[in-house]
Amino acid sequence: MGKLHEIVTIVFLIVSTNIIAQEYKFGKVSKEELLEESYKIDSVANAVILYENKKVSIEYGKSYGFQLVTEVFKRVKLYDKNGFDYASEEVFLYKQGGNREKISNLKGATYSYNGNKIVETKLKKEGIFKNEYSENLDQVKFTMPSLQEGSVIEYKYKITSPFLFNIDKIYLQQIIPIKKLDVKVKIPEYFNFKKMTTGYLPINLKESSIRDFIVWSSQNNNRTDYGISVYKINSVNVPAFKEEPFSGNINNYISSINYELSYVKLPNRPIDYRSTTWEDVAKTIYKSPNFGDELKRSNYYQADIDKLLNGVNNQLDKTVKIYDYVKKKITWNKRRGVFTNTGTKKAYKENTGSAAEINLMLTSMLIYAGIDANPVICSTSDKVVSLFPTIDGFNYVISRVKLADGDVLYLDATDKYGVPNVLPDRIIQGMGRVIAKNGTSQMVDFRPLKPSVKAYRLQCEIDDQAVAKGRVSVNHKDYLAHNFRVVNAVKDDESKAERFEKKFGITELDAYTVKGVNEYGKGVSEQFDFTV
């Protein structure tokens, strides 16, 4: 038994040493990688990251000062067609004011083994798409060409950023396995970052230091030496993250490390503290003309709201009337963000606007009507929850109303089918902060406190020929009623009925009726006769 244990240990060490010792160079894909049919440690994996290398550093240049540089190199093996989803990548570039992040040196290729030779297909410019994702983000998206089962794809790129605070979260695990991962972060002594980790995997973080210097001018004596902290993470055979039902955004739980800029201390300058409190965030938001000032503007809608509320005295009635008015008048243009783009006045005039424009307008109208209303900045369900006070962790705005009897209503006027306290799916799995004018804020969780219900009621008879005939009633409540309206409201009854024919294999479906689709705030009921 002892010898067997020694043999197993030796074999494991040889395998581990081979993985660690193997060098990965861009453009040097091996025949062995292409012929590999499955990942031995996780045989059900459709794809595996053969190698990922990420380097993050703060570098100095005379023309631009300090800037953040991120370099990424990734190689992925695609075992079958289900793995093709991992041959696409999207990169988000932050922008604010006149400053923006830039991507360069983007290269990629697909490798396949055909006719006993390696065939390379390079990523071309026409396969790279750039667009504006939101007011503060541009998106660069690409999919690798000429994919086949068994292909290996690889790509690399470089991002330069003037935003030293904006080190992206570094993921140490993915939803597919990783054979080898190398991460290196280099931070000069002038910048102090807090490190925060998520996930259950142990993180082997090694810290060291090196020296460098800055030459401020061409004179040799005008030079400053400084230290650089170097953080390295080297991992092998990282297991895939297994997504659990109803877990929400998995990026909140997957193993990662995040760097938050705490303060900056440049030579001969006072310390510049960057970590903020939520009160600082709230005050900063209100100072923005694209947020706080929008809440003060009312001249463009006053006459319409005065007419709308003529003779209405009850707070709840006023709230519902204004909410319904904005929902019907303004159409959401699908833009998210905390700050307005073209402004609430223009959105009101053109009957279309972003989430910020619509819901800041709604909040302003409610305040004008004497309602206790405040904006709520939110993280949508596809946004990673912010671990520290920051505006950039939020990408949406809704409105909160506090009635005199203590009841609280959350409103999103972008949702044509919404009702108070029934928010769209993009919100209910996320978090938010109520922002008050006096600079205070309060965290809120939008997850419903009670489950929504879909109830089926079946009455049927089965004859001696095994033919079942009967009637089905289906009642949708709360969020499930809302979801029904979002998906089916514009469909005709025939299309609605076809859902049941396909789902249950119904031979004949007759007398289909639906009630409550346009009665927002109430349930939706369906009924039909069937033969199976």
Side-chain angles (χ1 to χ4, degrees):
M1 186 67 183
K3 289 184 179 180
L4 177 60
H5 176 75
E6 289 176 6
I7 292 171
V8 171
T9 302
I10 292 170
V11 170
F12 175 77
L13 288 173
I14 291 172
V15 172
S16 299
T17 302
N18 286 339
I19 292 174
I20 296 171
Q22 181 178 353
E23 289 190 18
Y24 293 88
K25 293 183 178 180
F26 188 82
K28 300 293 183 181
V29 173
S30 67
K31 177 181 176 181
E32 289 73 22
E33 289 172 322
L34 289 166
L35 292 179
E36 185 175 283
E37 295 182 353
S38 65
Y39 183 42
K40 294 181 180 178
I41 299 177
D42 186 355
S43 60
V44 299
N46 306 121
V48 64
I49 298 173
L50 297 173
Y51 181 61
E52 183 172 3
N53 182 290
K54 192 164 192 176
K55 299 176 183 176
V56 180
S57 59
I58 296 177
E59 301 177 0
Y60 180 82
K62 289 183 181 179
S63 61
Y64 50 76
F66 284 103
Q67 67 177 8
L68 182 67
V69 178
T70 303
E71 297 176 86
V72 175
F73 167 36
K74 185 182 287 189
R75 181 179 295 175
V76 184
K77 170 71 177 184
L78 312 175
Y79 294 114
D80 53 42
K81 290 182 179 179
N82 292 326
F84 289 2
D85 291 341
Y86 307 104
S88 297
E89 178 77 346
E90 56 182 9
V91 180
F92 294 98
L93 305 174
Y94 186 75
K95 59 184 178 181
Q96 190 178 56
N99 297 318
R100 61 181 57 224
E101 296 179 331
K102 297 179 181 178
I103 189 170
S104 60
N105 301 334
L106 174 55
K107 295 181 180 179
T110 300
Y111 303 88
S112 300
Y113 196 70
N114 295 323
N116 294 323
K117 66 177 182 179
I118 298 175
V119 178
E120 176 186 0
T121 306
K122 293 183 178 180
L123 174 65
K124 297 181 179 179
K125 289 184 178 180
E126 51 265 32
I128 303 171
F129 304 94
K130 300 180 181 180
N131 61 77
E132 185 179 29
Y133 186 79
S134 69
E135 60 187 299
N136 291 117
L137 291 175
D138 287 331
Q139 181 192 55
V140 177
K141 192 172 184 178
F142 56 89
T143 299
M144 304 309 297
S146 303
L147 300 177
Q148 298 180 21
E149 292 188 339
S151 293
V152 171
I153 61 106
E154 66 176 1
Y155 53 83
K156 65 176 183 178
Y157 55 85
K158 178 179 179 181
I159 297 174
T160 54
S161 171
F163 308 107
L164 303 182
F165 63 87
N166 202 37
I167 294 181
D168 289 336
K169 178 182 283 192
I170 300 172
Y171 290 99
L172 308 176
Q173 187 182 24
Q174 298 290 346
I175 57 175
I176 57 174
I178 304 174
K179 280 193 176 183
K180 190 172 190 297
L181 172 68
D182 289 333
V183 174
K184 181 188 287 187
V185 179
K186 296 168 63 177
I187 300 176
E189 64 180 67
Y190 307 128
F191 304 91
N192 183 276
F193 283 82
K194 298 176 184 176
K195 298 183 293 292
M196 291 164 285
T197 60
T198 60
Y200 66 92
L201 294 180
I203 298 175
N204 182 23
L205 179 64
K206 296 180 180 179
E207 185 175 348
S208 61
S209 61
I210 57 176
R211 302 292 298 178
D212 203 347
F213 63 88
I214 296 173
V215 177
W216 303 101
S217 70
S218 57
Q219 299 177 4
N220 291 331
N221 60 350
N222 194 358
R223 152 179 165 158
T224 301
D225 292 313
Y226 65 95
I228 298 176
S229 296
V230 181
Y231 305 93
K232 290 184 179 180
I233 299 174
N234 306 110
S235 303
V236 295
N237 299 329
V238 181
F241 179 86
K242 301 301 183 183
E243 187 173 0
E244 299 291 340
F246 311 110
S247 61
N249 189 344
I250 65 170
N251 291 326
N252 291 318
Y253 315 107
I254 202 166
S255 292
S256 66
I257 185 167
N258 198 61
Y259 287 84
E260 174 200 354
L261 182 59
S262 179
Y263 64 81
V264 179
K265 178 63 175 75
L266 296 173
N268 304 316
R269 295 186 186 179
I271 295 179
D272 179 10
Y273 290 99
R274 299 299 181 90
S275 290
T276 58
T277 64
W278 286 115
E279 286 68 29
D280 294 328
V281 169
K283 290 176 182 177
T284 300
I285 290 173
Y286 257 99
K287 288 179 182 177
S288 170
N290 296 329
F291 192 97
D293 287 357
E294 296 286 10
L295 295 171
K296 302 171 187 175
R297 296 188 178 101
S298 61
N299 60 328
Y300 64 93
Y301 62 69
Q302 283 183 4
D304 294 331
I305 296 301
D306 289 342
K307 183 179 178 181
L308 178 72
L309 299 181
N310 184 30
V312 181
N313 298 313
N314 181 274
Q315 278 194 331
L316 179 59
D317 292 341
K318 285 183 177 182
T319 300
V320 172
K321 273 189 169 293
I322 293 173
Y323 175 51
D324 288 340
Y325 175 73
V326 176
K327 282 197 304 177
K328 292 174 183 177
K329 178 174 175 57
I330 315 296
T331 299
W332 183 38
N333 61 15
K334 306 302 181 183
R335 290 181 69 111
R336 303 180 182 185
V338 169
F339 302 103
T340 60
N341 297 295
T342 60
T344 54
K345 183 176 181 179
K346 187 174 182 181
Y348 189 79
K349 180 180 179 181
E350 297 181 353
N351 300 323
T352 183
S354 67
E357 284 153 355
I358 292 173
N359 287 318
L360 288 177
M361 178 195 306
L362 170 66
T363 307
S364 176
M365 290 177 176
L366 292 167
I367 294 171
Y368 173 75
I371 307 297
D372 182 4
N374 285 288
V376 185
I377 56 174
C378 313
S379 297
T380 52
S381 54
D382 58 351
K383 180 84 172 173
V384 176
V385 173
S386 237
L387 297 176
F388 49 88
T390 173
I391 297 172
D392 301 319
F394 299 94
N395 64 335
Y396 204 84
V397 180
I398 65 169
S399 183
R400 187 194 75 167
V401 167
K402 206 167 186 180
L403 299 174
D405 60 5
D407 285 347
V408 173
L409 308 177
Y410 292 101
L411 311 171
D412 182 0
T414 68
D415 183 5
K416 297 294 186 185
Y417 304 106
V419 296
N421 289 335
V422 175
L423 300 169
D425 287 350
R426 57 182 172 272
I427 294 297
I428 61 171
Q429 293 185 44
M431 306 290 290
R433 290 198 80 90
V434 181
I435 303 296
K437 185 178 181 179
N438 62 5
T440 61
S441 69
Q442 175 189 355
M443 179 72 81
V444 291
D445 186 347
F446 297 121
R447 289 178 182 266
L449 297 177
K450 65 176 184 178
S452 297
V453 174
K454 182 191 291 186
Y456 288 84
R457 185 175 181 180
L458 170 67
Q459 294 174 302
C460 73
E461 294 180 350
I462 304 176
D463 64 18
D464 56 3
Q465 300 300 314
V467 175
K469 294 183 179 182
R471 173 167 293 184
V472 171
S473 299
V474 186
N475 291 313
H476 311 256
K477 300 281 184 69
D478 301 319
Y479 274 95
L480 293 175
H482 172 264
N483 290 350
F484 179 91
R485 293 183 179 102
V486 170
V487 176
N488 298 296
V490 298
K491 295 179 180 178
D492 56 30
D493 286 356
E494 184 178 348
S495 298
K496 295 186 184 79
E498 286 177 357
R499 296 164 27 243
F500 296 105
E501 291 177 330
K502 294 177 181 178
K503 183 173 182 179
F504 300 115
I506 294 174
T507 309
E508 296 177 19
L509 190 151
D510 300 303
Y512 174 85
T513 59
V514 58
K515 297 179 180 179
V517 176
N518 297 317
E519 298 177 45
Y520 304 153
K522 298 182 179 180
V524 175
S525 60
E526 299 177 276
Q527 186 172 283
F528 59 87
D529 298 330
F530 72 92
T531 301
V532 176

